[in-house]
Amino acid sequence: MLPPFWDYRREYDELRDEVLAAVDRVFKSGQLILGPEGVAFESAMAAYVGVSGGVGVNSGTDAIYIALAAAGVGAGDEVITVPNTAVPTVSAIQVLGARPVFVDIRDEDFLMDVGQIEAAITPRTKAIVPVHLYGQCVDLDPLMAIAKRHGLKVIEDCAQSQGALYKNRRCGSIGTASTFSFYPTKLLGGYGDGGMVLSDDEAVVRLARSLRFYGMEESYYAERHGYNSRLDEVHAAILALKLPRIDGWINRRRDIADRYRRGFEGSGLRLPAENSYGRHVYHLFVVETSGDRDAALQRIAARGLKCGVQYRWPIHLMRGYEDLGYRAGQFQVAEQKAQRIFSLPIYPHLKDEEVDEVVAVVRAAI
């Protein structure tokens, strides 16, 4: 039987007793919001990434706009990012009244083309959001040099890359701040939504902590406009018990990726490139076809295997973002990739024989 594209239930079967014990502990504590479980998990995440402070929030999307706001981005500012990302990256920018400004991606690895950033900078540019897509880091040294030259903030979008390395530093430890998602499919996923802002800048952490709770620093007194975005105690407790396992899960993802590489050798599929400057954690295993991607997916589906497409439409071509004024052809690499890529099942509890079956079905279909 072919595996599903993603399934949390094998992980839950393994961790069930610990998960239920953590939930029971929280329920018995009498505190469900902003309690000791959240504080402990914030500290553990910060230590794992290698920064001094963390602020748990309601989702990865909230993490982006709270991090941007805490870094000083507001209405009328411009924020440079890429069009081949999940909608939340861009919607978070617009929530603040700022304008997303896109640069294209690199052909070899789907990541931000840092060489295009300076041409996109204007007097209104306030920040850059590099998206560490699919499980590996944007080339951050030259990006940070550009940001320093122009006085820009850098907010790393790490939703798909927890545990990835950039020159032996953890993803999320290099920019002004970083944001993480704990959506169930992520490398460190909960059983619902959740997110976190991380930073070495005490002022950013302090402001993010206020912004997630209506702009308050003391009960019922708002120092500024804020939001309601708090990571609840149940999810914090569950995520904390999963965190020590993440490196083992990453190693298993990398083993599966290697198995796919061997299995698809000579298949005609273009396989993911892993940059020499870091470690890929394979949140997704994205392949590229030179032929008709959708026809290939139909043949694969007819054989009983579900694959994914992340992402089928670049954001600048979506109706919801027509007001940005971009047109087809402006970001050619992102547009070409959107027509050619698809993702194979990859999660730590896949069995080797299931990986081999995926390879066999896909090779037969293409």
Side-chain angles (χ1 to χ4, degrees), residues 143-165:
L143 186 151
M144 294 301 296
I146 292 168
K148 183 176 181 180
R149 242 183 345 262
H150 294 273
L152 304 178
K153 306 294 186 180
V154 175
I155 309 299
E156 298 179 64
D157 181 347
C158 305
Q160 296 189 3
S161 57
Q162 183 162 352
L165 297 179

Side-chain angles (χ1 to χ4, degrees), residues 5-222:
F5 182 69
W6 176 78
D7 191 352
Y8 72 90
R9 288 171 293 185
R10 295 180 190 179
E11 177 197 281
Y12 179 66
D13 287 344
E14 177 187 328
L15 302 179
R16 181 177 183 275
D17 290 344
E18 292 177 72
V19 167
L20 294 180
V23 172
D24 188 55
R25 183 177 70 248
V26 172
F27 287 168
K28 286 178 177 177
S29 74
Q31 186 156 8
L32 302 177
I33 304 289
L34 296 182
E37 301 283 354
V39 172
F41 179 55
E42 289 170 346
S43 296
M45 267 290 291
Y48 177 84
V49 171
V51 297
S52 59
V55 181
V57 296
N58 189 57
S59 68
T61 312
D62 287 10
I64 298 172
Y65 70 71
I66 288 174
L68 286 166
V73 175
D77 292 332
E78 293 179 351
V79 178
I80 296 172
T81 190
V82 289
N84 71 320
T85 183
V87 169
T89 307
V90 178
S91 66
I93 295 168
Q94 292 203 295
V95 162
L96 297 171
R99 174 184 170 81
V101 173
F102 296 126
V103 297
D104 210 347
I105 60 172
R106 304 195 304 189
D107 176 68
E108 62 269 25
D109 59 9
F110 313 105
L111 299 173
M112 175 180 274
D113 186 343
V114 175
Q116 296 188 23
I117 291 175
E118 285 198 282
I121 294 172
T122 75
R124 302 176 81 172
T125 306
K126 194 65 171 285
I128 306 168
V129 178
V131 181
H132 301 314
L133 199 67
Y134 301 152
Q136 66 177 334
C137 294
V138 172
D139 194 359
L140 286 171
D141 279 352
L143 186 151
M144 294 301 296
I146 292 168
K148 183 176 181 180
R149 242 183 345 262
H150 294 273
L152 304 178
K153 306 294 186 180
V154 175
I155 309 299
E156 298 179 64
D157 181 347
C158 305
Q160 296 189 3
S161 57
Q162 183 162 352
L165 297 179
Y166 180 78
K167 298 183 179 179
N168 296 315
R169 294 185 65 182
R170 296 274 194 195
C171 171
S173 65
I174 298 168
T176 309
S178 58
T179 64
F180 290 78
S181 170
F182 305 125
Y183 185 74
T185 60
K186 304 304 184 190
L187 284 108
L188 182 64
Y191 300 128
D193 270 318
M196 189 168 288
V197 177
L198 291 162
S199 181
D200 262 332
D201 187 323
E202 289 185 15
V204 169
V205 172
R206 184 170 61 252
L207 186 51
R209 201 175 299 284
S210 171
L211 290 171
R212 73 165 175 190
F213 190 36
Y214 307 109
M216 295 180 183
E217 293 180 10
E218 297 180 12
S219 294
Y220 302 107
Y221 188 91

